[in-house]
Amino acid sequence: MPAIWRNSYSGPIIRIFHRFQSTGSMDRSYSDAVSALNTLQSNFSVVDAIRKSGRGMNKQAMPEMIEWCRKIGYEPSDFDRLKLIHIAGTKGKGSTSALISSIISQYLPSVSESIPQSPSSTSATTSIPRPLKIGLYTSPHLRFVRERIKVNNDALSETLFTKYFFETWDRLEASALSSGHPDPTSKSTKPVYFRFLTLMAFHTFMREGVDTAVIECGIGGEFDSTNIIQHPTVVGITSLGIDHVAMLGDTVEEIAWHKAGIMKSGSFSGKAYTVAQPGGAGRVLEERAREKGTELTVVGRHKQLQSREVKLGLDGDFQIGNASLAVEIAAEHLRCTGMVPRITTKCLPKEFVKGLEQVKWGGRCETRYEAIPGVEGTREIAWHLDGAHTLESIEVAAEWFADVINSTSPPLTTTPSTINHPPRILIFNQQTRNATALLSHLHALLSNLINPNNSSNEIHPTPQLIQAKGPFTHALFTTNTTHVSPKHSSPDLISMNTNKTDIEDLAVQTTLAHKWQDLEAGIQSSTASPSPSIRHSNPEPQTTNKYGFGVANGNGNAQKCTTEIFKTIEEAITRARQIARNHDCETKDAEREKVVVDGAKSNDDDNDDDDGQEEITRILVTGSVHLIGGVMEVLESEMELKR
């Protein structure tokens, strides 16, 4: 095995392995499993090695992965019984996989018997086989690593995750022992993090009796760990863009070549589905489909989805494309496996409609509401969560958030009527990719799309289109560290693929904060901007800009967005809530002053604005899936403590 897997963290990891090796499975907990799994993290090192090797390491990925399969007792062909659907892509592959699983799950006997059968559905009383268990393997996870492996759309329980984790772990050590390895408990007897989880997912699905499984690729396709699949029922390739350039190339055509690697001449249906692709990516997919003897179909938006006749359970206009692709893939799978052989999708069957409407996929264009802590009344905080981490996905997130703002908030002007407009807050981080490019793109898009004075619908605004109003009142930059106290941190959220020094020094966050101020200076009239403030645990209240944003000050210049940086997600959330609470207090003070000035009688029980303005502090959290997971961990763990 490559030295990069064998040598990293060898001292402390060997001690951890010895802790796990000889105990019975009943003595090993979920926490033990996650801690052991985390010792296999070396993604940052692997990516760096591939970058230096000119991608040569990728070519050994499949032979190595096949050998790992054999070490836990399987041949890749054994997985054919799972009736595998394979999904690759840059954007939307997780959402598409979840949509497919949700649709097919409606044909489970316990579910389909309760749904009135459509003409294109088979009767529950016929002998045609129905799926009994559906597996779903996706990455990355948000709160818990066990979210990556689902059966019938439910994440594995801690008990089952622990069971199948250590079955996989112990088989690898037993194989090493039988082959005469000098230290079967060493790290070199295990694959890296993602490969291990892929092995574990296949093992779990085999042991659970899954008879349909949706498998999302990790990175690429041709050399991805999941591509040991030999005979998928059908494959799908979602929208392509630029990402993981160190391993896949820096053009969309190169990336398309890798993604097309999941097409198989020996697939059950011989079919692959995709969506319209940018640049020459579509041509590359077509060429590779011909090479592999696969029939490739480009899927357009389904009319029932486009017209909103069917309301998706996932927010965002872009999800219509993902859902349309999922519909065709699910239908092909049901046809070629004989589960629903005569199904058509021109008019969506009721099972499909229910699956599309009930799908759950957290952290992607997701909105959560909460009351402002310590505030009475109807004012709320809306958390808008999207794990966008590429230029293309940032575009999607910006369009989604702008649609929310433009449909719920009155236009911002420089008139006094806007002085009590609720704050609008950005929480952002991206620790490993080109963070400043993502941030710049987000700022440019939202400055254009939210601006009521701009009639242009261009997605790539020029400097001339950017007007004098920024998109946020506050911009908060944080690391992906979840909690202030390490004892509260979940082992599921530990990441070893980032530079520790950068995190401790807040290097990325400081760069982002200064970049944001520069971007604001480009659209504001004011000149010099102060350095961002570094806030630590338990931040004290500070005066915020109660006049909102884009409001002229005494010199005729616009107020600037307040920019701050934090060491933890918990602190950033605390600060965001504090901003919302301060605004509420200032609004009530202003209302009381207005009552006195107007000579009217105060009514403390009716403190909502009556001018049509919404009373919701909207917070966009984006830039990193890991950031989204940390925010969800803080919000949900608080709710769990209150129960």
Side-chain angles (χ1 to χ4, degrees), residues 1 156 223 279 298 377 383 406 418:
M1 301 305 296
L156 288 185
F223 303 117
V298 178
W383 298 93
N406 293 335
T418 63

Side-chain angles (χ1 to χ4, degrees), residues 6 29 293 302 343 410 432 443 456 483 594 624 630:
R6 187 166 54 248
S29 67
H302 195 283
I343 195 166
T432 59
H443 187 279
S456 170
H483 291 285
K594 185 176 184 300
S624 165

Side-chain angles (χ1 to χ4, degrees), residues 123-166:
S123 169
T125 61
T126 67
S127 60
I128 292 176
R130 292 298 186 101
L132 299 177
K133 282 190 177 181
I134 299 169
L136 176 62
Y137 178 54
T138 59
S139 62
H141 60 276
L142 293 172
R143 283 191 73 191
F144 306 110
V145 67
R146 56 192 177 86
E147 298 166 14
R148 296 182 182 223
I149 305 174
K150 296 182 178 180
V151 175
N152 290 349
N153 298 313
D154 290 328
L156 288 185
S157 66
E158 290 188 359
T159 300
L160 283 179
F161 184 94
T162 303
K163 173 184 177 181
Y164 295 130
F165 175 89
F166 282 113

Side-chain angles (χ1 to χ4, degrees), residues 375-448:
V375 172
E376 296 181 359
T378 61
R379 292 182 173 91
E380 290 182 302
I381 292 174
W383 298 93
H384 301 279
L385 312 176
D386 190 86
H389 57 274
T390 67
L391 290 173
E392 292 87 356
S393 58
I394 279 288
E395 252 177 42
V396 168
E399 288 180 313
W400 167 65
F401 187 66
D403 284 345
V404 171
I405 297 300
N406 293 335
S407 63
T408 58
S409 302
L412 295 179
T413 69
T414 57
T415 64
S417 64
T418 63
I419 64 172
N420 293 324
H421 198 287
R424 192 179 297 155
I425 304 169
L426 171 68
I427 299 179
F428 185 93
N429 191 45
Q430 174 47 247
Q431 203 69 38
T432 59
R433 289 173 169 83
N434 190 342
T436 55
L438 292 177
L439 190 66
S440 299
H441 201 45
L442 178 67
H443 187 279
L445 288 163
L446 288 178
S447 296
N448 180 41

Side-chain angles (χ1 to χ4, degrees), residues 265-318:
S265 58
S267 67
F268 278 69
S269 66
K271 294 182 179 181
Y273 293 86
T274 190
V275 295
Q277 301 291 356
R283 172 182 50 79
V284 173
L285 294 182
E286 291 171 359
E287 290 172 355
R288 295 217 71 194
R290 285 194 294 270
E291 292 170 7
K292 293 172 176 288
T294 300
E295 179 185 333
L296 178 65
T297 300
V298 178
V299 176
R301 291 187 163 207
H302 195 283
K303 63 180 183 179
Q304 287 176 265
L305 293 167
Q306 181 68 20
S307 67
R308 306 302 200 274
E309 177 186 338
V310 174
K311 183 173 175 56
L312 278 178
L314 304 181
D315 205 1
D317 180 75
F318 70 98

Side-chain angles (χ1 to χ4, degrees), residues 45-119:
S45 300
V46 169
V47 171
D48 189 52
I50 292 173
R51 184 184 299 115
K52 293 174 180 176
S53 70
R55 308 184 200 112
M57 191 182 297
N58 261 347
K59 297 175 183 177
Q60 299 304 314
M62 287 304 97
E64 290 173 358
M65 192 62 185
I66 290 170
E67 186 59 29
W68 288 119
C69 279
R70 289 170 176 160
K71 287 179 179 180
I72 64 169
Y74 298 107
E75 290 292 333
S77 59
D78 294 338
F79 304 137
D80 288 349
R81 66 182 252 197
L82 299 175
K83 299 186 182 69
L84 298 159
I85 300 169
H86 206 183
I87 306 297
T90 306
K91 299 178 294 180
K93 57 192 171 90
S95 300
T96 301
S97 298
L99 284 157
I100 294 167
S101 180
S102 182
I103 291 170
I104 297 175
S105 69
Q106 304 309 314
Y107 290 87
L108 293 168
S110 59
V111 177
S112 60
E113 287 165 7
S114 65
I115 301 175
Q117 299 298 303
S118 59

